[in-house]
Amino acid sequence: MSDTAVAQPPETKKDPSRQMSDAARATSDLIVSPDVYAHMDQLDAAFSRLRAEDPVAWCEPEAFRPFWAVTKHADIMEVSRQNKLFTNGEREMLSYESAEERVYAQTGGPHLLKTLVQLDDPMHYKLRHLTQDWFMPHKVKTREDAIRTIAKEFVDRMEDMGGECDFQQDIALYYPLRIIMQILGVPVDDEPMMLKLTQEIFGAQDPDLMRDKSLSEQGDADKGLSSIQETLAQFFMYFTNITQDRRDNPKDDVSTVIANGTVDGEPIGQLEAMSYYIIVAAAGHDTTSASTGGGVLGMLNNPAQLKKMMDDPKGMSRTAVDEAIRWTTPVKHFMRTAQDDYELRGRKILKGESLLLCYPSGNRDEDVFNDPFEFRVDRSPNKIISFGHGGHMCLGMHLARLEMQAIYEELFSRVKSIELAGEPSFIRANFVGGPKSIPVRYKF
């Protein structure tokens, strides 16, 4: 027998006197269930109860390590702005306890990747700084004409489809994909592969999107982890070739920045570089796709709001985009780990304990949003928390907003009528998700 100890996830400290509240007992399994995230009425009900009865709730859901569910907007902001006290590096997202154990056994740590999401300062800041300028408002503005040209191309495609299409599958998925792939420097011919790999990562809990269709929800932990690793290996292989090409032939794209990036005078590591490509390639379009479709669906389900949008597309686009992002909340959560004891809304968080930042709940908080369960294209103010807050605020938020404004203005200035042509469906995912299908009927 080997004397070498197998690395294990840190044990969460438990206060023997701590018990789940009635609200937490009733909802803790719901707020981690991928199925529930595909049925927003169920999720909204669970979070509404927690906000009302136990807004910082100790949860012990089956098959997961315990955590505090943080469900109020103000509390999510309070945790998010304190990046030294509440860190990402130990546990950045929900994962089955058995899967966490296998990742530790294979890597000696909690992560398969080292993206900006998994890192803390100072490395997070240094790596984020490499590409940050590409996503700042002044740089995004220089791409506006190109973005609007692409928006027109996709609305042209929709017009050519004969009056019916699946807006999510045919338009919303591919439009932001085209934009981020141009920024990254990925050829158009490789876009379908990038979309498939992205869906296999973010849709790993959805039977229609997961790589290994034989897996059940929790499935076999070894098979599930192997499936994710196969997808990551494809990403790694692809971007290893990109790296070599951009070192030999630098271009004006983000891949060149990553391939030639340095930190403290040294080239960034292979794992960090591959992780950087993946977060830009995957997160750079998937969340925008979800919000784009989610906003259109919100309007289709609210004819008065759709009319407001169609009557004044340019005037409504800015507020409609933020409402779409609030309504959809494509990133469902991130997690933080307390580096010291801390009191939050009267609850004592112990050093080493995890906190689940519940963004859909924060975006439905009655203390912040008037009529939070109503979709309003002209909502203002709209203090959305979808992009996070603090040092980990979404790097691509300015690009995402411009992309959505461009396609909303193009679509709703041209379409004469649009309505649902079937039942929409949603991705089964507790981390990143949104609409999976939005069948529509329309006239130009």
Side-chain angles (χ1 to χ4, degrees), residues 153-346:
E153 290 173 2
F154 276 87
V155 176
D156 289 346
R157 175 188 295 185
M158 185 174 170
E159 184 173 4
D160 291 342
M161 294 180 79
E164 285 198 22
C165 75
D166 187 317
F167 184 80
Q168 192 64 30
Q169 291 291 322
D170 297 326
I171 307 300
L173 280 181
Y174 289 96
Y175 163 64
L177 177 70
R178 171 69 49 82
I179 293 167
I180 197 64
M181 291 300 119
Q182 284 191 358
I183 291 171
L184 200 53
V186 171
V188 171
D189 289 348
D190 293 339
E191 288 176 8
M193 178 186 68
M194 288 288 117
L195 177 61
K196 180 176 181 292
L197 295 179
T198 299
Q199 290 179 324
E200 288 174 2
I201 290 177
F202 290 143
Q205 298 163 317
D206 190 298
D208 295 330
L209 302 177
M210 62 178 57
R211 186 183 186 97
D212 185 345
K213 303 295 192 289
S214 69
L215 294 174
S216 61
E217 178 182 324
Q218 183 173 353
D220 179 274
D222 284 326
K223 282 186 178 179
L225 184 59
S226 295
S227 182
I228 291 289
Q229 287 175 313
E230 288 171 10
T231 298
L232 293 178
Q234 275 191 262
F235 266 127
F236 275 42
M237 186 180 303
Y238 183 87
F239 284 113
T240 295
N241 293 332
I242 289 278
T243 295
Q244 190 58 54
D245 177 75
R246 294 309 193 273
R247 287 175 178 169
D248 295 339
N249 307 289
K251 298 181 180 179
D252 184 25
D253 58 30
V254 167
S255 288
T256 297
V257 176
I258 297 171
N260 297 282
T262 61
V263 169
D264 297 331
E266 297 292 331
I268 61 175
Q270 172 78 353
L271 179 57
E272 287 80 3
M274 295 301 110
S275 300
Y276 215 141
Y277 288 120
I278 291 170
I279 197 70
V280 174
H285 69 86
D286 194 78
T287 52
T288 309
S289 297
S291 293
T292 300
V296 168
L297 182 57
M299 295 178 223
L300 295 177
N301 284 326
N302 295 271
Q305 299 302 310
L306 176 61
K307 184 177 187 305
K308 282 185 182 180
M309 188 69 198
M310 293 179 68
D311 285 348
D312 186 13
K314 290 189 184 300
M316 287 289 141
S317 66
R318 186 177 295 273
T319 52
V321 162
D322 273 9
E323 181 69 343
I325 295 167
R326 180 189 77 89
W327 192 249
T328 311
T329 314
V331 177
K332 309 307 180 185
H333 74 267
F334 277 121
M335 301 192 79
R336 300 289 189 265
T337 300
Q339 297 304 306
D340 206 345
D341 293 356
Y342 188 82
E343 188 170 301
L344 182 66
R345 201 174 283 265

Side-chain angles (χ1 to χ4, degrees), residues 351-369:
K351 178 180 179 180
E353 290 181 338
S354 302
L355 298 90
L356 183 78
L357 305 182
C358 303
Y359 299 127
S361 180
N363 276 335
R364 299 290 193 277
D365 191 337
E366 298 85 351
D367 291 341
V368 177
F369 303 97

